[in-house]
Amino acid sequence: VKKFQLGYCLEAWDAFSNLALENGYKKDFLLKTGLSIEKENRLLDRFRGRVIFPIHGIAGRVIAFGGRILKTDSKTAKYLNSPESEVYYKSRILYGIFQAKKSIVQNDKCFLVEGYTDVLSFHQAGIENVVASSGTALTTDQIRLIKRFTNNITIIFFIIFNITTK
């Protein structure tokens, strides 16, 4: 939790946005970062009721956020991401790259997994040379990013088949 700076946004529609405003954050900042959305002249929490995964750039600065809902609700997207911005292009970043880059160089190998929780699970098991494409199609920019640290990539994507017979 500390290593990846995980958080949680309450279920309330505007608890985070109101607290951020009270603590001096500007409305424009909250909207640009995608933490809040504006609806009918009201700021609402984009990630309400979700675990928050800060997405760090290669230098360690938080450039975006991902959120995962905890309850099962077929009407609600399981994952939600910050909108693309001046500093965040989903197809150009890998989740966990900041935390993994040293280990990737030391091991001369990178494990590429699908999502945030996959990266966390590997780190909990002591395997730190792992990054995630965050559910996007793997892009050449992401491969180039890994190639800055190693030429050796092992892709570990899990595919679930649902086969029904008649």
Side-chain angles (χ1 to χ4, degrees), residues 17-27 29-30:
S17 297
N18 289 338
L19 186 62
L21 291 170
E22 287 171 20
N23 282 284
Y25 288 91
K26 303 288 184 223
K27 175 182 169 181
F29 175 80
L30 296 173

Side-chain angles (χ1 to χ4, degrees), residues 1-157:
V1 170
K2 287 181 183 178
K3 184 177 189 176
F4 287 88
Q5 300 177 318
L6 303 183
Y8 179 75
C9 188
L10 299 174
E11 282 280 340
W13 284 100
D14 58 3
F16 170 80
S17 297
N18 289 338
L19 186 62
L21 291 170
E22 287 171 20
N23 282 284
Y25 288 91
K26 303 288 184 223
K27 175 182 169 181
D28 188 51
F29 175 80
L30 296 173
L31 294 171
K32 279 187 176 180
T33 58
L35 291 167
S36 301
I37 56 175
E38 190 168 27
K39 196 171 189 178
E40 300 172 5
N41 286 332
R42 183 174 167 203
L43 278 187
L44 303 176
D45 302 343
R46 177 183 300 272
F47 296 106
R48 74 181 189 89
R50 294 174 187 272
V51 173
I52 306 297
F53 299 87
I55 299 168
H56 298 83
I58 201 158
R61 293 185 62 192
V62 175
I63 58 172
F65 300 91
R68 187 190 193 287
I69 198 158
L70 295 178
K71 61 184 180 181
T72 304
D73 183 352
S74 61
K75 296 177 184 175
T76 305
K78 185 191 278 189
Y79 286 95
L80 197 59
N81 294 303
S82 292
E84 292 200 339
S85 68
E86 300 163 9
V87 295
Y88 175 62
Y89 298 95
K90 191 174 180 183
S91 63
R92 294 185 190 165
I93 192 67
L94 293 160
Y95 180 74
I97 190 68
F98 174 70
Q99 293 86 349
K101 63 185 181 181
K102 182 179 177 184
S103 182
I104 292 170
V105 170
Q106 287 174 340
N107 290 287
D108 192 27
K109 179 187 286 185
C110 179
F111 294 105
L112 176 65
V113 296
E114 203 169 357
Y116 311 124
T117 56
D118 300 324
V119 170
L120 298 177
S121 294
F122 273 75
H123 275 259
Q124 285 178 323
I127 302 166
E128 296 185 347
N129 53 327
V130 59
V131 296
S133 60
S134 302
T136 65
L138 184 58
T139 68
T140 54
D141 285 330
Q142 290 170 329
I143 296 295
R144 283 188 191 110
L145 185 55
I146 294 170
K147 195 167 168 42
R148 290 173 62 178
F149 304 103
T150 185
N151 289 321
N152 303 307
I153 304 170
T154 301
I155 300 173
I156 306 171
F157 285 176

